Amino acid sequence: MKVTVIGTGYLGATHAACMAELGHQVLGVDTDVKKLERLASGSVPFYEPGLEEILQRNIESGRLSFTDSYAEAAEFGDVHFIGVGTPQKKGEYAADLRYVDSVIETIAPLITRPATIFGKSTVPVGTASRLGQRARELSPAGEALEIAWNPEFLREGFAVQDTLRPDRIVLGVDRNRSGQAEKVAREVYAPILKDGLPFLVTDLATAELVKVSANAFLATKISFINAIAEVCEASGADVSVLADAIGFDARIGRRFLNAGIGFGGGCLPKDIRAFMARAGELGADQALTFLREVDAINMRRRVAMVESAKEFCGGSLLGGRVGVLGAAFKPESDDVRDSPALNIAGQMQLQGAAVTVYDPKAMKNSRALFPTLGYAESAIEACEGADAVLVLTEWDEFRKMLPADLDDVVRRKRIIDGRNCLDPQTWRNAGWAYRGVGRP
Ligand code: UDX
């Protein structure tokens, strides 16, 4: 099939490469010419395991190319995916829809034959219906231009795997008109549907809500365990053991119950806020007031970590040296958007500490976002002369670190494990003061 993917960020670039991998002819579309040049040369502008290989393979086979021309895209594709960003509006909770709006405003007038647009971006409920109406107004194809919503559930770090082997496909279609969207989607995804993958066809509103509800649930699960961690800290209990114990209950499940410095990234924080804002517009704000608490618990973890580091350093960070291991919002990613790790590093610096950060992949992005922090080329270098070491992203490299690696490097043997990813006994036995989150 001839497919375009509009927007070549984390979501769009992955989707474009994976659609080509499924055998389709794919055109990736973006307004950022530099990014397009880089992608076209086979280089992924962010770190995503396995993606570069698929990108290169499909460029070489001639199935994947890139353009900044919407006219070319409209001419090329019978199927168009929208994968542009929906960030949080500045100073507001609501999502900024200018990029999705602009895609429709630009491409719809150029589409002259029957086509299907599948929105993948995370949008407030009601957006797809509105965009559909606008697209039909603008396009010479009129009613023959269909809009459906096909939310994306990919996790950064597992983006390729999640796209090629998703756990479900959700498709929202306009129930008020008879269209081809389901048939088209089944053709697009045919190679992955074979394995009996759940394929749920819903109305547009449900599909939009599925995505934000999933993210709200995940955020709630993390803040739940972080709230329990606070009680564990107050009572001397161990939240890691507690999470294991409750996680054996299949109704609860152990995943996403890791206490620590909380969630960040380009999705969870802004999605729960946009969800609250949209519920408010719909007069259902009471339904989601609990998400305010989820957000508050999450943001409190960052402040608590800074306080914990301060206490650990004898009551003040002023003049202290802190080695921070990890800057990405999670391992296997170079994404530092709303990263708790980098946020904590910044706050400690504001309180007078000399902070040196090391991350295996996120150095470039960290430097761009927080240029005034100190940066090191390795974990060891970041910890040189440190009064405290903070592990804030649970990269394998840090999990595997041994006290002996740092014994002669630091000034004081103090380690704070912001992700509960180290073995406390190993460090304590080696003479280190160890502090985790919600652990005695
Ligand atoms: C998330 C959703 O998982 C994905 O389905 C959606 O499509 C996009 O948003 P992602 O942002 O890539 O994906 O990250 P995710 O793996 O969900 O982690 C989010 C944050 O939660 C990270 O900062 C992570 O460190 C934190 N987290 C995760 C915890 O603090 N504890 C946990 O137990 C799990």
Side-chain angles (χ1 to χ4, degrees):
M1 299 177 85
K2 299 191 85 173
V3 171
T4 79
V5 180
I6 305 168
T8 57
Y10 281 98
L11 164 61
T14 308
H15 194 67
C18 289
M19 289 304 100
E21 184 74 3
L22 295 185
H24 303 302
Q25 285 291 329
V26 181
L27 187 61
V29 188
D30 207 295
T31 49
D32 182 340
V33 179
K34 280 219 168 68
K35 197 194 276 179
L36 291 173
E37 276 169 7
R38 206 167 150 183
L39 285 164
S41 73
S43 157
V44 178
F46 49 88
Y47 177 69
E48 186 58 53
L51 182 55
E52 201 149 86
E53 212 183 300
I54 291 188
L55 178 81
Q56 287 168 0
R57 183 159 64 230
N58 286 283
I59 291 173
E60 274 160 33
S61 74
R63 278 196 300 268
L64 176 60
S65 52
F66 296 90
T67 184
D68 66 344
S69 160
Y70 274 85
E72 193 186 331
E75 176 56 35
F76 176 91
D78 302 305
V79 176
H80 306 279
F81 285 99
I82 304 179
V84 294
T86 51
Q88 188 178 337
K89 274 188 188 163
K90 281 215 163 41
E92 277 180 60
Y93 270 15
D96 183 349
L97 296 176
R98 78 176 79 173
Y99 305 108
V100 261
D101 283 343
S102 135
V103 169
I104 295 298
E105 295 293 325
T106 317
I107 200 159
L110 301 168
I111 295 178
T112 53
R113 62 176 195 272
T116 314
I117 297 180
F118 292 107
K120 292 199 85 64
S121 309
T122 304
V123 291
V125 60
T127 305
S129 165
R130 176 175 66 76
L131 293 177
Q133 194 180 341
R134 186 73 185 133
R136 288 188 297 275
E137 276 165 24
L138 290 170
S139 170
E143 287 287 325
L145 175 58
E146 215 184 324
I147 289 216
W149 221 259
N150 172 218
E152 183 55 61
F153 303 101
L154 66 78
R155 298 159 298 166
E156 286 177 27
F158 299 90
V160 172
Q161 170 187 328
D162 286 350
T163 308
L164 294 176
R165 287 187 297 282
D167 43 24
R168 79 286 209 192
I169 288 176
V170 175
L171 180 71
V173 297
D174 190 340
R175 297 282 198 209
N176 297 321
R177 24 184 60 78
S178 59
Q180 302 288 309
E182 182 182 348
K183 187 171 155 275
V184 175
R186 285 189 184 276
E187 262 176 76
V188 171
Y189 292 121
I192 51 182
L193 283 181
K194 279 179 202 145
D195 309 312
L197 178 78
F199 187 105
L200 291 93
V201 181
T202 72
D203 53 87
L204 291 172
T206 304
E208 291 166 318
L209 277 178
V210 164
K211 170 65 200 229
V212 279
S213 307
N215 278 356
F217 189 85
L218 294 172
T220 304
K221 212 172 168 188
I222 299 168
S223 276
F224 170 81
I225 202 66
N226 280 332
I228 300 297
E230 291 181 14
V231 183
C232 285
E233 271 170 21
S235 58
D238 186 332
V239 76
S240 299
V241 179
L242 182 149
D244 290 344
I246 65 171
F248 281 117
D249 185 329
R251 294 170 302 174
I252 297 172
R254 179 62 178 82
R255 295 175 72 190
F256 268 67
L257 278 186
N258 294 323
I261 56 174
F263 59 81
C267 291
L268 260 43
K270 65 112 176 150
D271 283 354
I272 59 168
R273 291 172 196 153
F275 198 11
M276 284 185 267
R278 185 62 185 139
E281 287 168 8
L282 294 168
D285 45 341
Q286 255 196 331
L288 298 187
T289 46
F290 76 96
L291 287 179
R292 272 184 200 281
E293 197 53 36
V294 167
D295 202 1
I297 293 165
N298 190 54
M299 297 312 279
R300 197 153 77 215
R301 294 319 305 165
R302 303 178 184 190
V303 181
M305 179 48 65
V306 177
E307 285 306 306
S308 181
K310 193 154 91 182
E311 201 186 293
F312 215 39
C313 291
S316 170
L317 285 167
L318 200 63
R321 290 180 71 99
V322 179
V324 167
L325 303 183
F329 85 105
K330 68 173 195 180
E332 296 305 322
S333 171
D334 64 353
D335 196 345
V336 295
R337 285 178 294 172
D338 203 359
S339 167
L342 212 47
N343 194 292
I344 288 164
Q347 286 187 48
M348 289 190 298
Q349 190 193 37
L350 284 177
Q351 298 205 17
V355 180
T356 310
V357 179
Y358 168 72
D359 187 283
K361 296 287 174 197
M363 299 298 280
K364 192 167 153 259
N365 289 343
S366 304
R367 277 198 177 98
L369 197 66
F370 273 88
T372 57
L373 285 168
Y375 292 96
E377 294 304 314
S378 68
I380 304 282
E381 194 191 321
C383 298
E384 265 168 26
D387 297 300
V389 173
L390 270 67
V391 178
L392 299 182
T393 312
E394 67 277 35
W395 285 96
D396 244 4
E397 179 183 337
F398 307 146
R399 285 175 183 276
K400 287 185 185 142
M401 222 167 42
L402 294 171
D405 299 334
L406 296 181
D407 277 348
D408 301 329
V409 176
V410 296
R411 188 154 66 190
R412 291 211 168 74
K413 293 184 182 180
R414 296 172 179 149
I415 190 156
I416 306 189
D417 181 3
R419 294 292 185 180
N420 287 352
C421 63
L422 306 174
D423 176 37
Q425 224 41 58
T426 305
W427 289 84
R428 286 186 179 133
N429 289 348
W432 283 68
Y434 169 95
R435 189 179 274 206
V437 174
R439 284 174 149 180

